[in-house]
Structures are given as structure tokens and as C-alpha cells.
Amino acid sequence: MNAKPLQFVKPADFHARARAALDDPKLRQSFRGAMDFLQDKRSAQFPDGDELERLRDIGEAVRRHALARLPDLLVQLEDKLTAAGVQVHWAEDGEQANAIIHAIAEKAKATRFIKGKSMASEEIELNHYLEARGMTCLESDMGEYIVQLAGEKPSHIVMPAIHKTKADIAGLFAEHIPDAPYTEDVDSLIQTGRRALRQAFVEADIGLSGVNFAAADTGTLWLVENEGNGRLTTSVPDVHIAIMGMEKVVAKLEHIVPLASLLTRSATGQAITTYFNLISGPRRAGEKDGPREVHLVLLDNGRSQAYADEQLRATLQCIRCGACMNHCPVYTRIGGHAYGTTYPGPIGKIISPHLLGLAATADLATASSLCGACGEVCPVRIPIPQLLVRLRTEANRNPAEQVAHPLRGQGAKFSRGESLIWRFWSGAFARPASYRLFRWAATRLRMLTPRAQLGWTQHRKPLTPAPRSLADLLNARGQEE
């Protein structure tokens, strides 16, 4: 496979990429159609509003219960997995996680990786790290495989290639897969991709996967997928490495069941996903298949910063369904690549500041209308709009101000002049006497205001055609009747 080099972008370039996306009618039309389809699919899976709200209550309770006991549950999970023969590794950041995975590969004399879907591996840019050290890392999820061929990052956490049309994919396959004919038939394209990937499962030295949930009481890793590639990735190669954000653990195996129901119905509108993979250790004596080694890499990478703050801890409730993205008017118009982060859309706006720091991501929290759609559809009730307001506050806070749990990059957007203006404004409106004085002064000094008003008054366009008056509308209706 001769994929294009990976294109790196930065969240600090958000405004320029957002403008470019808004000027791309093909992208906007593609996303609008896809989001409408996904919204309808989700609605069809929750016809009973009362059932949905009860299930959301359960999902929120499960996640909050696990986060309240997170340190103890992680230790319990490690003990259970270690007893079952799984080697557990702790990684403070992406660099350490990459080094751990590279060391496992070197010890196994491995050079070829096959990957199931893993947003955590995207987060730490594992593919690029391994390729720089002479190893190949092939994505086996069809959407991930497509964006890998294109040299891009995923634009959605559930559907990585949602920004691609069938013509785009046909061109990529014809260019990069030997003997692949150009066709825009979807079934033929899927079969072409699967044939290209099939032999890679057999030849791979290491299979790498993500983890959707982990049960501390049984030491079980739970993977959700639709294509069967996750099962092949975790069972065919001799070594299986799973990488998991530390927040994915829950107390009991039975707690995962309602989360799995919420995940699949909220993400793709499926009543149930095609495959649930439950992994509890390497191949045992007498078993004929399965990996001989299983490793779990527990990744922090800024999550402990969110965990330390009682309000921001709700960020870690996320089950990565993508429903907030599917209903977000901003994401729908600009797509995922505009954000420049692994996690785009509403969930990306609240988790990326912890992974990358506020200095790099301060503009993302303001890229929201605060319409509340993301919070209304979140299956585990993450208060995303409130968290966005909180992150805006932290980005504009005086860096010298002492707070209980300072965020990395706190005060990245702080402006002393702006701070003084808002203090004056709030003071003027805080008391009747000061308000009257401000009004008196403003009316007498209005000649100092600019003649040309910016924004709304200068750039707005009149309605065409001009609307009729209310009387005209009533008369017209009376004549129709």
C-alpha cells in the first residue's frame, strides 16, 4: 500500500480552515445529507421518549459511579487482567504510550501492525511514530483505511471517512490498490477494500485495537464493531495490544450493557452492533486460536486534569458515540478536519483542551452557538454547553489568578484591555445610580461614535423581496377565504 503522507494540521489554524470549509459547497452538501440521515436513524431507534430518558439516566449514573471510584477501579482492573495473563502498562502521555508500544514490538521482533479502530491511537499519532521507526501500521477499519490511503485524519469519531464521496473512494482505490478497477459501485468498493486487507491479517505480527469499555470486576475488555476486523485484529496475530483512555473503565460487566445499547443506537442508529468482542486474556492451554500475548496500555494524556476538577470531570463520561457531532450546527457546516484535533465537534471542544492545552485550543470553545443540541442528545447527559462556557472563562482568565485546579494554558486569550471594559460595563449596570449616569453620558456623547457602523448595520443584506405588511397579509388571507 502506497498511501499519501499524513497531513498534519493544528487547532490554532481553526479559523482559516473553517472559512475554507464554508467555501466548499461539495463538503457542506455532503455533511448536511449525512447528518440529516444520522439524525433520522437515531430518532427511529428511540421512538419512546420516556424509555430514552430512563436509559440516559442509567447511562449517566453508570459513568458517574465509575468516575467517582476511578483510581480504585483502575487498580482492580489491573489486578484482574494481570491474574489472567494480560500485561498492563501505564502511560502518562502520548510519547510514553508510543514508546511502550514500540518496545513491545521490538521485543517481539515485530515490524507489521494491523489495527482495529482506535481513537486513542489517533490521539497519540501512533502510526506516524511507528512508521518513522521502520514499522508498518495498516488500518483495517474500512473508514480508517480510506483516510489512511488519502493521507488524512478521521473527520468523525465513528465514521472516519464520512467526508468522502463514493467517487473520492473509487479514485483512491484505483490509485493505491494494485489491479483495482475504477468503479463507483459501493458493494464493489467494499469488496475491493476487504480483499486488499484480508492477507494483512495473516501477515501481521501485532494486532492493535482500542477499547470501548473495560469491566473492573471481571477484567474484561469490551470492543464494539460492525465489520469483523476488530475480531480478526485481536485474535489472528500472536500479539494483541489494546490501548485505552483511563476513563473507559466501569465497575461491573453488567454496567456495560446499557452503555452498549446507548452507544450503538446513538451513533449509527442501529438497534445493536454486529460484533461485541469480550477479551479476558491471551490464548490458554488447549485453545487453538487467539493471541499468545495480550497487553493493555492505560493512557492518561491530560485526562487527569479533567478528572481533578469536579465540573470538568463530566467530560470523561463520554462513550464516543458521536451523537453530539451529528446534531451540531457548526460541525455540520465545517466538518471534522476544520478543528485540527483528533476529536472534532462538541466533544472535541471540551476534551481537546485537556489533551493539548488551552493555548492550542482556545478558539474551539468559542466555535459554538450554545444552542444546546449536543447536551440534549448526549446519551450520558454530559452538560457540554456549560463546559464550553467554563472553558471560555478559563481561556480568558488572568493567568496570575490562583485557582484550585489550574488548566494547562489557562489565560491563553486573556486581554487586560478587554477585562477592564467588561469590569466597567458590569459596574455601570450593577446599580441604578451608575446606570442612570452611564445613560446620561452616553446620550450626550453620542456624536463621538463612528459614522460608519460595523457588523450588522454595515454588512447585513435586506430581505428580497421585501416582506408585505401584516395588513396586506391579512387582507390576502381574507380574499382567499
Side-chain angles (χ1 to χ4, degrees), residues 443-478:
T443 56
R444 282 154 180 78
L445 300 175
R446 63 181 180 272
M447 74 288 296
L448 299 178
T449 60
R451 289 181 177 275
Q453 300 293 320
L454 300 178
W456 166 252
T457 56
Q458 180 173 325
H459 299 291
R460 71 184 179 95
K461 295 180 180 180
L463 294 174
T464 304
R468 292 184 291 177
S469 68
L470 179 59
D472 291 339
L473 293 173
L474 291 175
N475 289 334
R477 183 164 186 179

Side-chain angles (χ1 to χ4, degrees), residues 149-216:
L149 288 179
E152 299 172 355
K153 287 193 170 187
S155 62
H156 193 286
I157 60 176
V158 177
M159 294 150 285
I162 197 170
H163 60 290
K164 295 290 188 186
T165 65
K166 59 184 179 182
D168 295 332
I169 298 168
L172 280 171
F173 281 10
E175 179 183 357
H176 295 289
I177 299 177
D179 303 321
Y182 182 93
T183 175
E184 294 185 15
D185 179 74
V186 174
D187 289 338
S188 298
L189 287 170
I190 293 297
Q191 291 304 317
T192 297
R194 286 178 174 169
R195 281 194 296 271
L197 289 169
R198 192 165 293 135
Q199 188 62 27
F201 290 108
V202 178
E203 297 174 349
D205 304 307
I206 294 178
L208 190 136
S209 75
V211 178
N212 291 97
F213 308 106

Side-chain angles (χ1 to χ4, degrees), residues 203-227:
E203 297 174 349
D205 304 307
I206 294 178
L208 190 136
S209 75
V211 178
N212 291 97
F213 308 106
D217 65 333
T218 59
T220 303
L221 307 180
W222 184 303
L223 278 67
V224 177
E225 51 139 340
N226 273 320
E227 301 175 22

Side-chain angles (χ1 to χ4, degrees), residues 85-218:
V86 177
Q87 300 177 53
V88 179
H89 312 265
W90 299 75
E92 185 175 349
D93 53 28
E95 184 178 351
Q96 191 173 6
N98 284 331
I100 289 168
I101 294 170
H102 181 243
I104 294 170
E106 284 197 317
K107 183 178 179 181
K109 295 181 172 57
T111 59
R112 291 168 296 187
F113 282 71
I114 188 79
K115 276 183 60 188
K117 194 169 186 307
S118 166
M119 292 307 296
S121 69
E122 294 285 352
E123 179 184 323
I124 63 175
E125 296 179 344
L126 176 66
N127 291 14
H128 179 71
Y129 182 92
L130 293 175
E131 287 168 4
R133 286 154 182 79
M135 300 180 179
T136 60
C137 201
L138 182 64
E139 299 285 353
S140 65
D141 174 88
M142 190 57 63
E144 295 275 359
Y145 178 61
I146 290 167
V147 297
Q148 186 178 30
L149 288 179
E152 299 172 355
K153 287 193 170 187
S155 62
H156 193 286
I157 60 176
V158 177
M159 294 150 285
I162 197 170
H163 60 290
K164 295 290 188 186
T165 65
K166 59 184 179 182
D168 295 332
I169 298 168
L172 280 171
F173 281 10
E175 179 183 357
H176 295 289
I177 299 177
D179 303 321
Y182 182 93
T183 175
E184 294 185 15
D185 179 74
V186 174
D187 289 338
S188 298
L189 287 170
I190 293 297
Q191 291 304 317
T192 297
R194 286 178 174 169
R195 281 194 296 271
L197 289 169
R198 192 165 293 135
Q199 188 62 27
F201 290 108
V202 178
E203 297 174 349
D205 304 307
I206 294 178
L208 190 136
S209 75
V211 178
N212 291 97
F213 308 106
D217 65 333
T218 59

